[in-house]
Amino acid sequence: MKYFDYAATCPLDRDAADIFIKASTEYFGNSQSLHEAGSAAANLLESCRQEFARLLDVEEAGVYFTSGGSEGNYLGIMALLSAKRKNGRHIITGAAEHSSVYNLMKKLEGEGWEVTFLPMDEDGIIKIDTFIKAVRPETVLVSIQHGNPEIGTLQPIQNIAGYCRSNGILIHSDFVQSFGKISMNSLARSVDALSISGHKFYGPKGTGVAYVNPKLAWKPYIDGTVHEKGFRPGTVNVPGIAAMTAAAQKAHSLIKQEHDRLKELRTIFADTLTELKSPYTIFGSEGDEQLPGIVGMALKGVEGQFVLLECDRKEFAISTGTACHTGLLSPAKTMAAMGINGKEAKEFFRISFGRKTAASDVVELGKLLASISGRVAAV
């Protein structure tokens, strides 16, 4: 099987796997326990916290370990709502947010909050003007995903965060797709809360990091919680966190190299399709507004589900959107957010590259897609 679904999940890095085994056998104590084994685990945990603070360029006191992006999104948003800076019950979010955010927003609507879902333009970007027009005096929270998981566009988070800061609005951002793929620089520090997920950058599943601005007086979602300073309940997964930290360090060290390589693969892929004169559309943007490793696209007149099945039959793994959306009859949320509906929206599918993606495999996949398109057109 030739794997083209890295945006859904990545294989565990071998070095990270070794760290996981070592930590599981040598640092197995509960980090809350007062004995020597517990202290050893706690020391390792705090070393990992310090490292993520460095990689994200944020204050260590605001770094919390979670079970992944979904939990980080949920708890981060609820923490900000408990610490809102002004009166009001209006929230702004994107129309193509991950299901963990979208479903929480729908739940909050049922509890009396007003939520505005912002559309994207034809390039998959939320325009600053669109965002500003949606802001009200009673707006207390904004939650905008940084990297779109279906077409790979990057939202102007720093600009949005700057406006929020000037207007007493707290901002959360889902960094799950972008962490480990682009430099964070001052990006993470510009928001009040964020989330990342270990398995998106070759760490173990079931691990993640949330950041909440330590200057905010947030309240625990579940009263009486003691782990992670009240951020979440449950024994902390120290071995998984240690492995995730090792994976994050490696991903961070390879950012420039991998970004350039994935950009080249994207060009090779598009050139293959162009040379074969296959009718297709690649959604998204370019340059600094695009993650090069995610290609959201459509073959004219061919349903994405059919493309997926045909690729699977030829042992190529692609997807029709985020894994959390798979199985739903509705098209990818990103298509609807861009104003693409009906039959055209159902043509969408996603290809995503990773460390083991070879240029020859990319060319072969391009030829296969052209073949699928040609066969359907001939019927």
Side-chain angles (χ1 to χ4, degrees):
M1 175 65 73
K2 291 172 182 176
Y3 191 70
F4 284 89
D5 202 16
Y6 285 88
T9 194
C10 301
L12 179 60
D13 178 80
R14 291 285 182 181
D15 293 332
D18 290 341
I19 293 290
F20 182 86
I21 293 171
K22 182 177 177 63
S24 296
T25 55
E26 298 182 19
Y27 296 85
F28 55 84
N30 188 317
S31 59
Q32 288 289 109
S33 297
L34 299 179
H35 46 59
E36 186 176 342
S39 296
N43 289 338
L44 176 57
L45 183 67
E46 294 315 306
S47 294
C48 294
R49 199 183 312 278
Q50 291 170 10
E51 185 60 14
F52 270 104
R54 184 187 73 82
L55 293 174
L56 288 165
D57 191 21
V58 296
E59 295 175 73
E60 182 186 335
V63 175
Y64 304 97
F65 294 110
T66 69
S67 65
S70 292
E71 185 188 40
N73 284 335
Y74 190 98
L75 294 178
I77 288 170
M78 296 308 294
L80 294 190
L81 287 179
S82 76
K84 61 181 184 171
R85 288 182 168 138
K86 59 181 179 177
N87 292 327
R89 292 181 70 82
H90 179 236
I91 302 169
I92 297 174
T93 191
E97 296 296 308
H98 185 266
S99 59
S100 59
V101 173
Y102 179 82
N103 292 338
L104 175 57
M105 293 302 168
K106 292 313 237 179
K107 181 178 184 292
L108 291 171
E109 279 186 322
E111 296 173 358
W113 293 82
E114 287 187 83
V115 182
T116 297
F117 295 88
L118 298 180
M120 295 172 162
D121 67 10
E122 64 277 6
D123 294 324
I125 304 293
I126 294 174
K127 293 295 188 186
I128 290 292
D129 290 348
T130 303
F131 162 71
I132 292 175
K133 286 177 184 176
V135 174
R136 308 177 192 170
E138 64 271 23
T139 304
V140 296
L141 175 70
V142 169
S143 180
I144 301 289
Q145 187 178 58
H146 183 223
N148 180 277
E150 293 176 326
I151 62 173
T153 48
L154 294 168
Q155 303 304 331
I157 290 298
Q158 283 182 292
N159 292 339
I160 292 173
Y163 186 89
C164 288
R165 192 144 302 186
S166 300
N167 290 274
I169 301 167
L170 297 177
I171 178 169
H172 163 269
S173 187
D174 175 345
F175 278 24
V176 166
Q177 286 295 339
S178 53
F179 178 82
K181 300 178 181 71
I182 63 168
S183 175
M184 291 290 103
N185 289 329
S186 58
L187 189 60
R189 276 190 286 114
S190 71
V191 300
D192 296 296
L194 62 84
S195 57
I196 65 176
S197 186
H199 73 108
K200 301 293 187 180
F201 50 87
Y202 304 88
K205 294 174 177 63
T207 62
V209 174
Y211 168 77
V212 180
N213 184 344
K215 294 182 175 66
L216 296 174
W218 59 270
K219 298 175 183 177
Y221 182 66
I222 299 176
D223 290 338
T225 297
V226 296
H227 291 283
E228 288 300 281
K229 292 177 280 188
F231 191 69
R232 71 182 295 267
T235 302
V236 179
N237 179 10
V238 175
I241 290 164
M244 174 178 63
T245 305
Q249 290 171 322
K250 181 177 285 190
H252 191 265
S253 71
L254 295 173
I255 282 177
K256 177 67 166 64
Q257 175 185 325
E258 276 297 285
H259 187 275
D260 291 347
R261 193 180 68 83
L262 296 180
K263 194 171 181 180
E264 183 179 357
L265 289 179
R266 188 183 185 91
T267 300
I268 292 170
F269 180 68
D271 288 347
T272 302
L273 293 174
T274 301
E275 288 172 9
L276 295 168
K277 296 181 171 56
S278 177
Y280 70 96
T281 301
I282 291 180
F283 302 101
S285 190
E286 297 178 352
D288 293 339
E289 294 181 333
Q290 180 69 42
L291 291 170
I294 298 179
V295 182
M297 63 178 297
L299 297 178
K300 186 173 177 57
V302 188
E303 280 206 11
Q305 188 73 19
F306 179 78
V307 177
L308 182 151
L309 294 173
E310 286 296 291
C311 285
D312 187 61
R313 194 166 64 85
K314 295 291 186 179
E315 298 192 335
F316 284 84
I318 68 167
S319 74
T320 52
T322 63
C324 294
H325 188 78
T326 300
L328 301 180
L329 295 176
S330 56
K333 287 201 293 291
T334 304
M335 293 295 97
M338 293 171 65
I340 301 171
N341 299 291
K343 184 179 178 181
E344 188 178 356
K346 289 186 177 181
E347 293 173 356
F348 176 83
F349 60 94
R350 180 187 69 189
I351 291 161
S352 46
F353 310 136
R355 286 183 195 163
K356 294 188 177 180
T357 306
S360 58
D361 293 337
V362 169
V363 171
E364 194 176 342
L365 176 58
K367 291 179 178 179
L368 173 58
L369 294 177
S371 172
I372 293 169
S373 178
R375 280 190 283 118
V376 171
V379 174

